[in-house]
Structures are given as structure tokens and as C-alpha cells.
Amino acid sequence: MTPQQNSDAELAGQPAAYWTGVAYEALIAFTRAQQAAKGYTQPQFWLLRNLSENDISPDGEGMTLPELREAMTSYIRPEDDLAAEAAVLLERGWLTQDAEDRLWLTEEGEQARVDLARNAPAIRAALHEGIGDADYVTTVKVLQRLIRNAGGTVA
């Protein structure tokens, strides 16, 4: 079955919220499948990134799970179980936990973060296949305008 081809006029009348929702789910599913094929999850990578002073963490200080959940509030998904994900990283020796339940990145965890980050360009390339940078930039600018028009904030 071939997908229905809509005219530009028909596309112009379709709701942006529908298409952004479909795109979000497809992009997340693809990214997570690619990461799973490499032996890790997106939340595990986020934990490493949020605890690394060489990435998101401003100081490399340990954080509790509630603090990490708060730090990830804008991108964590409802089904993400940070406690279970952290347990895997503790088992791998990529994190340690102190007496105050703060998680800390180990040297092995920092190396894993660096290694896992190397997967991002291939994932991006697969997602951007057939899309030129100019079209991508235009799309992002349109989305930013839609966000502002809806009263949202563009970071």
C-alpha cells in the first residue's frame, strides 16, 4: 500500500500538533532502538551526561535520583525508570552511590559516556538522510515560531 500523497494546500491545512507528535514518537523510537542495539538506553546515557563535569553537570558533583529526575524534567519520558537505569549503571561500575544516595560518575562511566556519545553522529545522519541543512534549519525555525505563537518559550 502506498502512502497517500497530499497536495501542498492539503498539507498546509493539517494541524502542526499532530505532525510534531508523530515526529516526536518516531524520532524517539528510532533513537532508542539504535541505542539499544549498542547495549544502552537513552536514560542511561542521560544519567552519565548529567553526572559528568565534562558534559551537562556544572561541577561533577553527585546527585540523588530525585535531583536527576528534576534536572531531566524537560526530556525524561513517563515510562523512564531512573532507579532501574541507575542500577544497571551501578552494576556496570559506571556509577557509584554514597551513603546519602548520591550517584557519582566513575572513571569507567566517564569513558563510557565518551564512547556512547560517538554513536550520536550516525543516528543523526540516518535521521537526516535526504534532508539538506537549509531545509532542516527552516523546519526548526518554523517550529520555534509555532512555539512562540502558542505562548511557549524557545530555549
Side-chain angles (χ1 to χ4, degrees):
M1 176 182 226
T2 51
Q4 179 182 347
Q5 294 296 320
N6 295 315
S7 70
D8 286 356
E10 290 169 325
L11 289 173
Q14 293 185 356
Y18 169 76
W19 287 110
T20 57
V22 171
Y24 174 77
E25 292 300 329
L27 296 171
I28 292 295
F30 180 86
T31 300
R32 287 182 174 212
Q34 296 299 303
Q35 291 171 327
K38 300 284 187 181
Y40 67 101
T41 68
Q42 193 172 49
Q44 289 168 0
F45 186 51
W46 290 336
L47 286 166
L48 297 175
R49 293 190 67 205
N50 275 274
L51 292 168
S52 174
E53 66 184 333
N54 299 309
D55 202 333
I56 296 174
S57 174
D59 54 17
E61 291 297 312
M63 297 172 74
T64 64
L65 283 173
E67 290 169 336
L68 285 158
R69 194 170 291 108
E70 177 65 27
M72 297 182 212
T73 192
S74 67
Y75 49 89
I76 194 166
R77 292 177 58 99
E79 67 270 20
D80 292 339
D81 182 347
L82 289 186
E85 302 290 359
V88 172
L89 299 179
L90 286 162
E91 200 171 287
R92 290 181 182 170
W94 295 356
L95 297 180
T96 59
Q97 192 167 31
D98 66 21
E100 286 83 40
D101 289 329
R102 298 180 80 72
L103 295 168
W104 295 83
L105 189 63
T106 65
E107 286 183 33
E108 294 83 3
E110 176 61 16
Q111 185 58 56
R113 182 197 64 79
V114 170
D115 293 343
L116 298 178
R118 291 188 182 120
N119 295 315
I123 294 170
R124 183 191 188 282
L127 291 171
H128 285 242
E129 185 178 341
I131 302 168
D133 285 347
D135 285 340
Y136 181 75
V137 168
T138 298
T139 301
V140 171
K141 287 180 178 181
V142 168
L143 290 171
Q144 289 175 336
R145 182 58 191 226
L146 286 167
I147 293 164
R148 285 192 298 274
N149 288 349
T153 303
V154 176

